[in-house]
Amino acid sequence: MKRFRWIDLALLPFGLCVLFLLMLGKLFGLTYKQISVVFNLWFQGVVLILSGQAPFCATLYKMAGGFSIGWLVLALFFACYATVYMYAFIKMLRHYSLPFDSAFDRCVKDLEWVATKWHTTYQMINLLIFVLFYLILLGINVMICYYLIMH
């Protein structure tokens, strides 16, 4: 009898993510590899870029209501913050360049490498990066914007 490992719990949500991508790919006429690159790398990347730009825009919005040195410093900080998001996206696009099969295979290879280093599974690393880490970054940017606009 196989011993239960907590890491095995990653298989269910990973399977649901695969199913979601398969259905999305079918809807758009794309293979699993193609939709994985489009959704996980491009779509999620663009959403993160936009959310990373949002604190800068929120700061400019607040500055329009009344200039202060504090808002100017925050605007400069969030301009740098937004630049980091843009830089990371460009690096990711270059690293996972087309064709689709090549981009997908390189991503899988990188996820497997990280999984080996962290002594876990490819599925767990995939979930941590493309679900948990993505939602954390998105949530942080939303909370920053909420705080900036409301205060």
Side-chain angles (χ1 to χ4, degrees):
M1 185 162 127
K2 185 178 174 189
R3 195 175 132 227
F4 174 77
R5 298 177 317 156
W6 284 103
I7 205 81
D8 292 335
L9 292 177
L11 295 178
L12 178 61
F14 179 78
L16 293 173
C17 291
V18 168
L19 182 60
F20 169 75
L21 288 174
L22 285 169
M23 290 188 309
L24 196 60
K26 187 166 183 75
L27 179 68
F28 289 105
L30 299 172
T31 67
Y32 177 73
K33 286 185 175 187
Q34 291 169 331
I35 196 63
S36 292
V37 170
V38 169
F39 186 81
N40 290 331
L41 300 177
W42 298 354
F43 178 76
Q44 285 186 311
V46 167
V47 169
L48 283 181
I49 282 178
L50 294 175
S51 75
Q53 311 298 309
F56 174 67
C57 295
T59 307
L60 292 180
Y61 171 77
K62 291 300 275 195
M63 277 180 45
F67 178 82
S68 75
I69 295 297
W71 285 116
L72 180 61
V73 169
L74 271 177
L76 292 173
F77 173 79
F78 285 123
C80 294
Y81 182 80
T83 303
V84 168
Y85 273 85
M86 184 64 72
Y87 175 78
F89 184 67
I90 291 169
K91 289 284 285 181
M92 185 270 305
L93 287 178
R94 287 186 176 162
H95 184 70
Y96 300 112
S97 59
L98 293 178
F100 284 107
D101 285 355
S102 174
F104 179 87
D105 293 342
R106 176 172 279 164
C107 187
V108 168
K109 182 179 172 191
D110 290 346
L111 292 170
E112 288 173 340
W113 180 83
V114 172
T116 301
K117 294 294 181 191
W118 287 9
H119 307 289
T120 188
T121 63
Y122 156 83
Q123 292 88 350
M124 182 61 82
I125 297 301
N126 194 302
L127 287 172
L128 288 173
I129 291 173
F130 293 110
V131 178
L132 185 64
F133 188 59
Y134 170 77
L135 291 175
I136 288 171
L137 288 176
L138 192 60
I140 287 170
N141 292 333
V142 167
M143 289 189 311
I144 290 170
C145 288
Y146 177 80
Y147 180 79
L148 288 171
I149 292 172
M150 294 307 199
H151 289 88

